[in-house]
Amino acid sequence: MTMSLGRVLRNTVIAVLALLWLVPTWLLVVNALVPAGSYSGSPHWLPRDFGLFGNMSQAWDKANLGPALGNSLLYSVVSAAAAAVIAGFAAFATIIMPVKRQALWFWVIYSGTLLPLQVFIRPLFLSYAHTSLYDTQTGLVLIYTAIAVPFAFFVMRNYALTLPREVVEAARMDGASWWRVFWQIHVPLTRSAMIAVFVFQFVAVWNDLMFGITMVTSRNIRPVMAALADLQGNYSNVGPPIVLAGALLVSLPTVVLFFSAQRFFVSSLKIHR
C-alpha cells in the first residue's frame, strides 16, 4: 500500500511538472499559428486560423534569418566539437594517465562553470578590442569553445571513471603509446559520452544571446538568437505571432539534433559495470 501510494504521488508530481513545462510551449505554438493580421493582442489558448508559414516567412525575411542560421550552425558545430575533443583529452589525462594532483586539475578546469558568464564580458571585450577579434567569427568560436569546455570535461571525466582500466593497462603492456590508447581505445569507449557532450554544447551555443549581442555588431556575423532579438526590437510592429513563429523556426535544428542523438544521450547516462 505504501509503495503504491508513493508511486501515485511520484507519477502525479511528474505529470504536474510536465504540464508546467508544456504550457509555455503550447502557448508559443498556438500563438505562432495566428495570422499576424488577425492577432487581437491577447494570447490565444486554442488554435483558430492557420498562418504559421506566412509568419515564418515574414520572420525569415525581416530578420534576415538565413545568414544568421548559417552563422549559428558554424559556431555551434565547431565549438561543440572542439569542446568535446578537448574535454576528452583532459578527461583522459586526469583519469587514465598517471598525472599528479588529479583532483587539483579537475577543480582548475571545472571552476570555469562556477562563475556567471557575465563576469567575462568586460575582460573579453577589452582583450578582443586590442587583438582585432571583436566582431569576428573566429572570436565567437573561441569564446563558445572556452565556455563549453568545463562542463564538457565534467561529463567526460565522470564517464571515464566508469571505464574498465584493465583494457588500458593491457594496451600499455603491449607497447601502445598514450596517443594510440586515446584514439583507438578511449575514444571508441567514450563515443556516446562525447556525442552527448556535443549535443549539450551545441544547444547551449545555439541558444546563446549574451555574447551574440555584446561581442558582435555586424549583421552578417551575428548568431541567430541575436537576429531574433533584433526582430523583436527593431521590428516590434510585426506583432507577437511573427516573433513567436521565428522563435519556433530557429528552435527546430536543436530539436532535430536532440532526437537524432537521443540513444547516444541516454547511453552516456548509464554506468558501465
Side-chain angles (χ1 to χ4, degrees):
M1 180 66 68
T2 303
M3 291 183 62
S4 177
L5 180 60
R7 187 179 298 108
V8 170
L9 290 175
R10 182 191 61 187
N11 293 339
T12 302
V13 171
I14 293 174
V16 171
L17 292 177
L19 182 62
L20 291 175
W21 182 85
L22 287 173
V23 167
T25 306
W26 172 258
L27 286 173
L28 184 149
V29 174
V30 169
N31 286 273
L33 294 174
V34 179
S38 61
Y39 187 73
S40 62
S42 300
H44 293 214
W45 285 90
L46 294 174
R48 298 178 184 177
D49 300 327
F50 187 84
L52 177 63
F53 296 140
N55 293 339
M56 284 185 173
S57 177
Q58 291 190 59
W60 182 277
D61 294 334
K62 294 185 177 181
N64 198 23
L65 290 180
L69 281 169
N71 290 332
S72 281
L73 185 63
L74 171 66
Y75 302 145
S76 301
V77 171
V78 175
S79 300
V85 173
I86 295 172
F89 276 120
F92 180 78
T94 56
I95 299 300
I96 306 300
M97 296 179 66
V99 176
K100 296 181 180 180
R101 300 181 179 88
Q102 294 182 353
L104 175 62
W105 285 112
F106 166 75
W107 284 110
V108 167
I109 301 174
Y110 182 67
S111 61
T113 64
L114 303 181
L115 296 174
L117 296 178
Q118 288 80 355
V119 303
F120 301 115
I121 292 180
R122 176 176 171 79
L124 279 173
F125 180 85
L126 295 177
S127 61
Y128 269 37
H130 286 87
T131 56
S132 300
L133 287 173
Y134 182 78
D135 197 27
T136 63
Q137 291 181 327
T138 302
L140 273 185
V141 168
L142 292 176
I143 291 176
Y144 288 139
T145 302
I147 64 176
V149 166
F151 180 76
F153 167 71
F154 176 78
V155 175
M156 294 298 300
R157 175 186 178 275
N158 289 347
Y159 194 85
L161 287 171
T162 68
L163 299 178
R165 302 295 295 272
E166 294 81 5
V167 178
V168 175
E169 293 174 357
R172 290 291 293 169
M173 291 181 63
D174 289 341
S177 64
W178 286 117
W179 185 258
R180 184 177 180 184
V181 171
F182 175 79
W183 287 110
Q184 296 187 2
I185 297 178
H186 185 76
V187 169
L189 290 176
T190 59
R191 183 183 61 173
S192 58
M194 295 186 75
I195 294 177
V197 163
F198 176 84
V199 173
F200 267 124
Q201 302 309 324
F202 182 98
V203 173
V205 173
W206 186 274
N207 292 331
D208 173 73
L209 174 62
M210 183 178 65
F211 291 110
I213 61 178
T214 57
M215 306 302 293
V216 169
T217 58
S218 301
R219 292 173 62 90
N220 63 327
I221 297 178
R222 65 183 181 178
V224 70
M225 291 303 166
L228 192 62
D230 190 43
L231 172 68
Q232 188 173 6
N234 295 343
Y235 299 98
S236 57
N237 59 328
V238 299
I242 295 178
V243 177
L244 294 175
L248 188 62
L249 177 63
V250 301
S251 66
L252 291 179
T254 57
V255 174
V256 172
L257 175 64
F258 178 81
F259 283 105
S260 299
Q262 186 177 15
R263 66 187 184 92
F264 297 103
F265 177 76
V266 173
S267 64
S268 69
L269 302 179
K270 299 178 180 179
I271 298 178
H272 289 264
R273 301 185 183 275

